[in-house]
């Protein structure tokens, strides 16, 4: 009898609990569009150096945001909110918290209407007393290294926005402020004891470089003149200062610059040196030192690097030679006409003209890296027009030069000849031909690169090249990525060890420690057995290398579970810290304490930050975003595993309807791109501005499915069909989906696949495609206008996955083009384009429109004037999102069709309709 009583009691408790849960669920509301504006996102976060304080910014969807400062304690209750707070930072002594204070969106709009500038304030909080000082008209600020002083840059007077009002230097201990007028630039030394200033007065009198001793509040003039000074540059770990001084020269409009250095400038007797190239016979004739490349000290502080470029004579100085050329050319015809603005597109152009146009400004600022060796005041040019890309090695003894010219014009991979350059002499040694890139170890002892499936090193001292991974029984190339490249890239690499003794390399799942001679190899993780991907996570970017006893932090990602988390390596052991079926990321550490913060989220759990100690016990929650979510029906997600038509096992993320009831069937939206299952456990906020917002469709009673797609070369569209159709059929097998209410959607590459798939199957009952590729031949011959580069390269070595041009693979280009398969289309298709789309040419939409209109297929194209690949104007975003939703609602659920679907929108009515929409409110 006792056991029966316990069973009865258990049943009663279960029934009561179930009834309570049902009652709570029935009290929840349906999420409506007018509720979307409540939702918040976190942008930016940080820990104080001692880990006692944490800040984060909260931005609601349609409201003004705020900055929150929170005390990191056992209960984490103390917090302070600052409306419109931005750009926060802590002083390194943990005494101060500073931030800029903006204005509301309405106030910003009002100022813009009055053609007035938004002017920020500065907030400074004393973390000991919690008192906040607010200073007006401060546009920026900087703490010194110790936190003892702060520089605040003022705004110029209203109406004189181009003026230079100077700075305020605040002694944080006493609160006293010292003004410095006409300051154009400033820089603290590394210890924060001195502040260098460049001064530029309106009358040029008193221009110069000043050095402020912050402890003594004394100022010393290092150099003064009526010219301009730029690029204050302190050497790392040494009190050496360098700067440029402008030098006008007769016969040239553009100035050149003299370089000045002061070694031990904070001492009473600094060593001053200067370099004026105009008296140096080794400096190339008709070149100048430019001011648009900063100065840089070498690691050993005996060399300063800068940029040079050709020096063009002024028009007046060159008029005689120009006149002679004109006379020699004979009498000009059509003298009254302006010159033609013709472009000459040449078959040897590299880059092509549109790219040259986009790069014109940067091309005008192109320059050649050069060195000035202080000890013997010797100039060495390191780069030139052939070897223009030059990077320094870790110890500043050598540089790496890349020469692409032998392979131009380039159409597939970007090849270079690789040179090793001696910084003392400028001499170049050709190391290898036709490679993509080479990197340097932090200590400068080795170069390393990936080629033909293996990592290789070059010992700079011995000249020995070693394949360091040839003997390791694993694959370091990313064999999963199918892109048409001749040489697949690597899975990646991590940091080097101290003294260049080893480096971290990745295979598909594991981290390996490999010596640069290939003799010692150790697999540090055991991810392959569990199919968990381990990768190094850097918490400190101050040091370029890892010491042997230093902790190596690792991220974890379950490729087939989608679990995420962190582990760490101490010695040879992997210590597991946190690993859960959630999205876990953004791990950070306090600079001076064993305090850590990480972020967690799930499909039904809004993103929040948690604090923990080195033991990584259960974290203390620091934020609580979107707590009102509990008032609404809200769905979770799950993983779906399926097999595509080629027999590959793939996965997809399935987000449930918000108020899902077991046993019922629902419509489903299928969203595609390439790999999408990794978004499992992602939290999505509802939005009226996105036509692909997962949470909106879930709230409106849809499943949302995001299946993975894998590819075979030469068949991108066919590959999408072979993955997406079996994936959707797998979900249909669950019995939860209404088979006649399945929609398909995607943007860009996902839109291409959407518009192709619906020509191959009648599985989908509606489709929405934003900016799709439609004709693979004409798209191959188009230009990616946003970058000015040919689309051909995208086809042959990237997303297009056609390793050959169209004239060598005509059948496959045609077979995978939606436009050439359009006769088979029976699914209602909505397409969106911006007229200024710089990624997928607008004419791709026009081609499909003309074809489907001629065929009289159910097709509508939305055209947004002046918009690029993604819609930027909020009214257009809302319009597209609304129409995409209406399209699915009509063709999937049978909701009444608005007039624009059944009748279109005559051009003459368009302004009137737009006026109605804009005046109707949102």
């Amino acid at each position: 009898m006792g056991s029966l009583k316990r069973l009865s009691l258990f049943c009663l408790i279960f029934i009561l609990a179930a009834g309570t849960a049902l009652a709570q669920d029935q009290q929840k509301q349906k999420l409506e569009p007018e509720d979307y504006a409540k939702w918040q996102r976190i942008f930016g976060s940080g820990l104080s150096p001692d880990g006692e304080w944490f800040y984060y910014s909260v931005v609601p969807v349609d409201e003004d945001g705020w900055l929150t400062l929170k005390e990191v304690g056992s209960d984490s209750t103390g917090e302070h909110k600052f409306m419109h707070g931005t750009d926060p930072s802590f002083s390194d002594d943990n005494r101060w918290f500073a931030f800029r204070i903006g204005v509301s969106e309405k106030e910003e709009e009002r100022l813009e209407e009055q053609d007035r500038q938004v002017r920020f304030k500065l907030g400074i909080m004393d973390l000991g007393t919690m008192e906040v000082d607010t200073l007006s008209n401060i546009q920026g600020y900087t703490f010194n290294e110790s936190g003892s002083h702060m520089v605040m840059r003022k705004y110029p007077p209203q109406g004189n926005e181009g003026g230079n009002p100077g700075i305020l230097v605040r002694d944080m201990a006493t609160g006293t402020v010292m003004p410095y007028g006409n300051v154009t630039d400033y820089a603290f030394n590394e210890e924060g004891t001195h502040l260098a200033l460049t001064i530029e007065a309106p009358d040029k009198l008193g221009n110069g470089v000043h050095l402020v001793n912050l402890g003594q509040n004394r100022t010393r003039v290092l150099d003064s003149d009526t010219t301009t000074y730029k690029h204050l540059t302190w050497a790392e770990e040494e009190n050496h200062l360098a700067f440029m001084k402008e030098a006008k020269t007769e016969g040239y409009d553009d100035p050149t610059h003299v370089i000045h250095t002061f070694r031990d400038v904070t001492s009473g007797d600094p060593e001053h040196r200067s370099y004026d190239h105009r008296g140096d016979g080794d400096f190339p004739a008709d070149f100048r030192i430019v001011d648009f490349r900063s100065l840089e000290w070498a690691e050993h502080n005996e060399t300063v690097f800068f940029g040079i470029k050709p020096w063009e004579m002024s028009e007046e100085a060159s008029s005689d030679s120009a006149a002679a050329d004109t006379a020699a050319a004979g009498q000009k015809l059509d003298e009254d006409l302006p010159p033609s603005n013709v472009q000459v597109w040449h078959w040897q152009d590299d880059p092509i003209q549109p790219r040259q146009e986009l790069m014109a400004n940067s091309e005008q600022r192109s320059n050649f890296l050069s060195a000035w060796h202080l000890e013997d005041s010797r100039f060495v040019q390191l780069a030139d027009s052939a070897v223009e890309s030059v990077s320094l090695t870790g110890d500043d003894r050598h540089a790496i030069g890349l020469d692409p010219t032998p392979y131009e014009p380039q159409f597939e991979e970007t090849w270079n000849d690789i040179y090793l350059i001696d910084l003392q002499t400028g001499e170049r040694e050709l190391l290898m031909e036709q490679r993509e890139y080479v990197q340097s170890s932090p200590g400068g002892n080795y170069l390393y690169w990936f080629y033909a499936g293996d990592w290789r090193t070059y010992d700079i001292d011995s000249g020995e090249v070693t394949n360091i991974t040839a003997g390791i029984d694993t694959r370091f190339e990313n064999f999963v990525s199918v892109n048409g490249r001749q040489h697949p890239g690597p899975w990646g690499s991590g940091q080097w060890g101290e003294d260049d003794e080893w480096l971290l390399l990745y295979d598909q799942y594991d981290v390996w420690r490999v010596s640069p001679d290939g003799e010692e190899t150790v697999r540090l993780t055991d991810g392959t057995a569990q199919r968990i991907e381990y990768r190094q996570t850097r918490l400190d970017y101050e040091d370029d290398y890892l010491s042997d006893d230093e902790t190596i932090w690792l991220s974890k990602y379950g490729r087939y579970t989608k679990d995420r988390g962190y582990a760490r390596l101490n010695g040879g052991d992997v210590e597991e810290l946190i690993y859960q079926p959630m999205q876990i990321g953004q791990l950070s550490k306090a600079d001076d304490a064993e305090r850590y913060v990480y972020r967690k989220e799930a499909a039904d759990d809004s993103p929040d930050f948690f604090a923990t100690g080195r033991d990584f016990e259960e974290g203390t929650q620091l934020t609580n975003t979107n707590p009102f979510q509990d008032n609404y029906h809200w769905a979770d997600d799950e993983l779906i595993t399926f097999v595509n038509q080629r027999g590959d096992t793939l996965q997809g993320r399935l987000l449930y309807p918000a108020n899902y009831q077991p046993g019922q069937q629902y419509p489903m939206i299928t969203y595609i791109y390439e790999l999408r299952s990794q978004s499992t456990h992602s939290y999505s906020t509802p939005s009226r501005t996105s036509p692909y917002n997962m949470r909106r469709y879930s709230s409106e009673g849809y499943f949302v499915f995001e299946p993975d797609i894998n590819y075979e070369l030469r068949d991108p569209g066919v590959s999408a069909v072979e993955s997406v159709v079996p994936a959707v059929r797998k979900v249909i097998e669950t019995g939860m989906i209404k088979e006649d209410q399945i929609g398909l959607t995607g943007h860009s590459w996902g839109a291409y696949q959407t518009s192709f798939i619906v020509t191959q199957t009648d599985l989908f009952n509606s489709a929405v495609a934003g900016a799709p590729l439609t004709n693979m031949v004409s798209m191959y011959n188009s230009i990616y206008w946003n970058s000015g580069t040919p689309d051909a390269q995208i086809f042959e070595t990237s997303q297009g996955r056609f390793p050959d041009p169209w004239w060598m693979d005509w059948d496959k280009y045609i077979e995978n083009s939606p436009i050439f398969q359009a006769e088979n289309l029976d699914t209602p298709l909505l397409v969106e384009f911006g007229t200024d789309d710089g990624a997928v040419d607008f004419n791709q939409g026009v081609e499909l429109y003309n074809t489907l209109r001629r065929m009289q297929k159910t097709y509508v194209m939305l055209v947004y004037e002046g918009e690029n690949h993604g819609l930027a104007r909020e009214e257009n975003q809302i319009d597209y999102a609304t129409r995409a939703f209406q399209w699915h609602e009509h063709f999937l659920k049978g909701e009444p069709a608005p007039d624009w679907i059944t009748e279109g929108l005559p051009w003459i009515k368009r302004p009137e309709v737009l006026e109605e929409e804009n005046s109707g409110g949102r």
Side-chain angles (χ1 to χ4, degrees):
M1 287 295 294
S3 61
L4 287 175
K5 288 182 179 180
R6 286 195 296 270
L7 180 59
S8 299
L9 180 60
F10 172 79
C11 292
L12 178 61
I13 294 173
F14 178 81
I15 292 170
L16 289 173
T20 301
L22 180 60
Q24 291 174 345
D25 192 60
Q26 289 174 341
Q27 292 173 2
K28 291 182 181 292
Q29 308 169 33
K30 178 181 180 293
L31 182 64
E32 301 289 355
E34 54 265 28
D35 300 317
Y36 295 176
K38 299 178 183 178
W39 256 257
Q40 307 163 352
R41 298 183 179 94
I42 296 179
F43 290 94
S45 62
L47 272 170
S48 61
D50 60 3
E52 297 290 337
W53 295 90
F54 176 74
Y55 72 76
Y56 61 97
S57 296
V58 174
V59 181
V61 172
D62 282 341
E63 299 177 13
D64 294 325
W66 62 87
L67 173 68
T68 299
L69 177 67
K70 192 176 188 70
E71 194 169 5
V72 183
S74 57
D75 56 0
S76 292
T77 55
E79 67 177 26
H80 307 266
K81 291 184 178 181
F82 308 99
M83 288 300 298
H84 314 125
T86 63
D87 303 324
S89 68
F90 296 100
S91 63
D92 276 9
D93 61 359
N94 302 293
R95 286 196 56 192
W96 306 97
F97 177 67
F99 51 94
R100 298 204 304 161
I101 306 171
V103 298
S104 67
E105 285 190 20
K106 289 184 178 180
E107 176 66 10
E108 186 173 349
E109 291 172 0
R110 187 183 70 82
L111 290 172
E112 288 179 357
E113 290 174 357
Q114 299 176 359
D115 198 24
R116 295 174 59 192
Q117 184 184 31
V118 175
R119 299 205 163 204
F120 284 78
K121 299 177 182 179
L122 179 67
I124 306 174
M125 172 180 273
D126 185 325
L127 294 177
T129 65
M130 302 294 103
E131 295 179 355
V132 179
D133 281 349
T134 303
L135 295 87
S136 298
N137 286 320
I138 302 296
Q139 59 178 310
Y141 72 96
T142 308
F143 283 114
N144 67 346
E145 181 70 20
S146 64
S148 64
H149 289 77
M150 170 195 280
V151 169
M152 299 171 283
R153 178 169 292 283
K154 299 188 294 181
Y155 282 101
Q158 288 280 5
N160 184 28
E161 273 68 21
N164 179 30
I167 63 172
L168 304 172
V169 179
R170 176 172 174 144
D171 186 319
M172 303 305 292
T174 65
T176 57
V177 174
M178 180 68 68
Y180 292 88
N182 303 315
V183 175
T184 56
D185 192 17
Y186 62 88
F188 288 109
N189 66 337
E190 186 161 342
E191 294 86 356
T193 59
H194 289 72
L195 177 68
L197 309 173
T198 55
I199 307 295
E200 185 171 347
D203 57 5
K204 301 296 183 182
L205 298 177
N207 286 8
V209 175
H210 297 189
L211 184 68
V212 181
N213 184 322
L214 296 172
Q216 300 175 2
N217 198 21
R218 295 176 57 186
T219 301
R220 177 159 46 111
V221 178
L222 299 179
D223 196 79
S224 64
D225 209 328
T226 57
T227 189
T228 301
Y229 295 82
K230 293 185 177 180
H231 295 309
L232 298 167
T233 308
W234 290 93
E236 289 188 17
E237 301 179 1
E238 297 287 349
N239 287 316
H240 306 329
L241 180 66
F243 55 85
M244 287 184 181
K245 180 178 180 179
E246 187 176 278
K248 300 277 190 180
T249 303
E250 186 177 353
Y252 298 91
D253 288 334
D254 294 322
T256 189
H257 295 80
V258 177
I259 299 174
H260 290 260
T261 61
F262 285 81
R263 298 177 65 84
D264 299 318
V265 67
T266 59
S267 67
D269 186 25
E271 177 188 284
H272 174 220
R273 296 185 182 183
S274 64
Y275 175 66
D276 188 339
H277 70 85
R278 293 170 297 181
D280 186 354
D282 292 331
F283 195 91
D286 295 324
F287 272 66
R288 66 186 178 100
I289 296 176
V290 299
D291 62 346
F292 42 78
R293 183 175 191 144
S294 299
L295 298 173
E296 182 179 353
W297 285 91
E299 188 89 5
H300 49 64
N301 298 324
E302 298 292 338
T303 302
V304 174
F305 301 102
F306 52 91
I308 68 171
K309 74 169 298 176
W311 202 2
E312 297 181 4
M313 299 176 65
S314 63
E315 289 187 15
E316 182 179 351
S318 59
S319 60
D320 292 340
S321 59
D325 291 341
T326 301
Q331 180 66 36
K332 285 186 177 181
L333 299 176
D334 302 321
E335 290 182 340
D336 294 335
L337 295 177
S340 169
N341 62 350
V342 64
Q343 298 180 31
V344 178
W345 291 41
H346 194 276
W347 79 92
Q348 292 293 329
D349 281 347
D350 199 355
I352 62 174
Q353 292 288 318
R355 178 64 176 171
Q356 292 181 38
E357 181 182 2
L358 286 177
M359 298 295 292
N361 289 335
S362 60
E363 183 65 25
Q364 290 174 355
R365 298 168 68 89
S366 66
N367 57 89
F368 304 141
L369 181 66
S370 301
W372 171 39
H373 298 290
L374 273 64
E375 187 173 353
D376 51 5
S377 194
R378 185 165 43 84
F379 166 83
V380 176
Q381 183 176 342
L382 304 175
D384 58 25
S385 57
V387 184
E388 190 168 349
S389 176
V390 173
S391 58
L392 303 174
T393 59
D395 64 352
D396 291 331
R397 291 185 302 139
H398 299 88
I400 305 167
L402 307 181
D403 179 12
T405 55
Y407 312 100
E408 294 175 345
Q410 306 209 35
F411 300 106
E412 297 179 347
E413 281 99 330
T414 303
W415 299 117
N416 297 279
D417 287 343
I418 311 297
Y419 288 86
L420 185 67
I421 304 171
D422 189 311
L423 293 187
Q424 289 296 319
T425 65
E427 294 180 358
R428 297 172 182 168
E429 176 188 357
L430 178 62
L431 293 186
M432 62 194 83
E433 298 178 335
Q434 199 168 348
R435 295 291 185 271
E436 288 193 81
Y437 69 95
V438 168
Q439 298 170 269
S440 169
S441 61
N445 298 304
Y446 298 93
L447 307 182
Y448 67 109
W449 65 97
F450 189 82
Y451 181 73
D454 280 301
W455 286 96
R456 292 163 167 81
T457 60
Y458 174 81
D459 187 317
I460 293 179
D461 289 336
S462 69
E464 184 176 357
V465 175
T466 305
N467 183 333
I468 63 173
T469 56
I472 304 177
D473 186 20
T474 190
R475 299 177 69 178
F476 289 96
E477 82 275 10
N478 185 347
F479 57 88
V480 172
S481 177
V482 176
N483 50 38
R485 287 171 49 90
Q486 180 182 352
H487 296 285
W491 286 105
S493 62
Q495 281 182 276
W496 279 74
E498 194 171 4
D499 299 325
D500 294 347
E501 292 184 352
W502 46 265
L503 73 158
L504 300 178
L505 302 175
Y506 307 144
D507 65 14
Q508 185 177 13
Y509 292 108
D510 288 307
V511 180
W512 295 74
R513 188 177 65 208
V514 183
S515 63
D517 59 6
E519 295 296 324
E520 297 182 19
T521 62
V522 180
R523 189 179 69 178
L524 301 177
T525 59
D526 189 22
T528 301
Q530 305 172 68
R531 295 193 290 189
I532 296 176
E533 178 187 282
Y534 287 87
R535 296 293 184 259
Q536 184 197 6
T537 292
R538 291 188 66 172
L539 302 185
D540 181 5
Y541 284 85
E542 291 293 323
D543 292 327
D544 294 328
Y545 56 81
L546 289 160
S547 59
D548 286 339
D549 58 352
E550 189 172 348
T551 297
I552 299 176
W553 294 88
L554 302 167
S555 65
K556 298 179 62 177
Y557 169 58
R559 183 168 293 273
Y560 293 100
T561 65
K562 312 307 174 187
D563 295 356
R564 296 178 187 265
Y566 290 99
R568 62 184 169 214
L569 271 164
N570 292 301
D573 300 323
V574 176
E575 181 184 358
E576 307 296 342
L577 300 174
I578 183 173
Y579 188 61
Q580 297 174 0
M582 303 184 77
Q583 292 271 357
I584 300 177
Q586 298 187 31
L587 178 66
S588 62
K589 176 186 177 298
D591 290 342
D592 305 324
E594 291 286 347
R595 290 277 183 93
Y596 302 84
V597 168
Y598 57 88
R599 173 173 154 152
K600 293 199 305 184
E601 67 179 90
D604 58 351
D605 188 354
S606 184
D608 281 306
F609 282 91
F610 295 79
T612 187
R614 186 170 178 83
D615 54 13
F616 258 76
E617 293 180 354
E618 184 175 354
T620 300
Q621 186 168 337
L622 298 176
T623 62
N624 184 27
T625 58
N626 303 317
F628 40 79
Q629 176 192 308
D630 291 340
N631 299 328
Y632 299 93
H633 295 295
W634 199 268
D636 201 354
D637 62 3
E638 71 168 325
L639 270 173
I640 300 293
T641 300
F642 64 94
V643 178
N644 71 3
Q645 291 179 22
R646 299 194 303 273
D648 303 320
T649 299
L650 300 174
Q651 293 181 301
R653 179 208 190 201
L654 183 66
L655 179 65
Y656 274 64
N659 191 19
Y660 172 73
Q661 301 297 321
Q664 293 187 19
Q665 290 188 323
Y666 296 84
M668 183 173 77
I669 300 295
T670 306
Y671 177 80
I672 59 174
Y673 193 75
E674 291 193 357
L675 298 180
R676 293 295 305 169
S677 64
Q678 71 272 22
S679 65
T680 300
H681 309 313
S682 294
Y683 186 87
S684 56
T685 58
S687 169
R688 294 189 305 127
T689 60
S690 170
Y692 320 112
N693 184 258
M694 316 303 172
R695 190 55 62 182
R696 177 176 189 173
Y697 283 101
S698 170
S699 298
E700 296 292 342
Y702 290 84
F703 277 96
V704 182
F705 185 39
E706 301 175 69
D708 286 343
I709 301 170
N710 68 359
Y711 299 90
E712 286 191 335
L713 289 178
R714 306 171 65 231
D715 265 331
V718 172
S719 296
V721 175
E722 292 175 344
S723 293
V724 174
V725 171
V728 172
R729 293 199 185 283
K730 183 68 175 181
V731 181
I732 291 174
E733 290 176 6
T734 65
M736 300 185 297
I737 311 300
K738 293 183 178 180
E739 293 190 46
D740 59 349
Q741 295 185 10
I742 301 175
L744 182 64
T745 189
H747 189 81
S748 190
W749 185 252
Y752 153 66
Q753 296 171 127
T754 295
S755 56
F756 181 81
I757 288 171
V758 293
T759 68
Q760 306 296 302
T761 177
D762 294 332
L763 180 62
F764 300 97
N765 309 101
S766 71
V768 175
L773 295 70
T774 64
N775 182 337
M776 305 305 262
V777 177
S778 62
M779 186 67 194
Y780 176 99
N781 291 315
S782 297
I783 289 172
Y784 199 98
W785 295 104
N786 286 339
S787 63
T789 54
D791 278 321
Q793 193 166 23
I794 298 175
F795 274 78
E796 295 186 43
T797 61
S798 184
Q799 204 165 37
R801 298 178 172 91
F802 288 96
D804 296 314
W806 61 266
W807 60 89
M808 297 175 62
D809 204 359
W810 174 263
D811 290 345
K812 285 296 184 180
Y813 275 80
I814 298 301
E815 183 182 343
N816 286 271
S817 294
I819 199 168
F820 296 116
Q821 312 299 323
E823 195 171 4
N824 302 320
L825 175 68
D826 292 320
T827 304
L829 176 60
L830 175 69
V831 164
E832 171 272 330
F833 259 100
T835 59
D836 293 354
D837 195 321
V840 179
D841 197 285
F842 172 50
N843 205 52
Q844 290 289 301
V846 174
E847 288 189 45
L848 189 62
Y849 170 78
N850 283 327
T851 299
L852 293 179
R853 178 178 176 272
R854 180 65 179 84
M855 293 178 178
Q856 283 295 283
K857 301 287 187 177
T858 304
Y859 174 84
V860 171
M861 182 165 72
L862 306 176
V863 178
Y864 294 95
E865 187 71 30
E867 292 280 16
N868 203 307
H869 196 50
L871 302 181
R873 295 170 56 186
E874 185 179 13
E875 62 268 29
N876 289 340
Q877 294 171 345
I878 292 175
D879 184 85
Y880 176 32
T882 300
R883 296 183 193 274
F885 182 72
Q886 291 172 342
W887 186 268
H888 287 307
E889 286 279 279
H890 172 63
F891 288 107
L892 297 185
K893 291 184 176 181
E895 296 292 334
D899 290 345
W900 69 269
I901 292 180
T902 57
E903 302 173 13
L905 177 63
W907 179 270
I908 197 170
K909 293 185 178 180
R910 180 169 166 261
E912 179 182 340
V913 172
L914 284 176
E915 185 177 347
E916 289 177 3
E917 291 177 352
N918 289 334
S919 63
R922 304 189 190 105

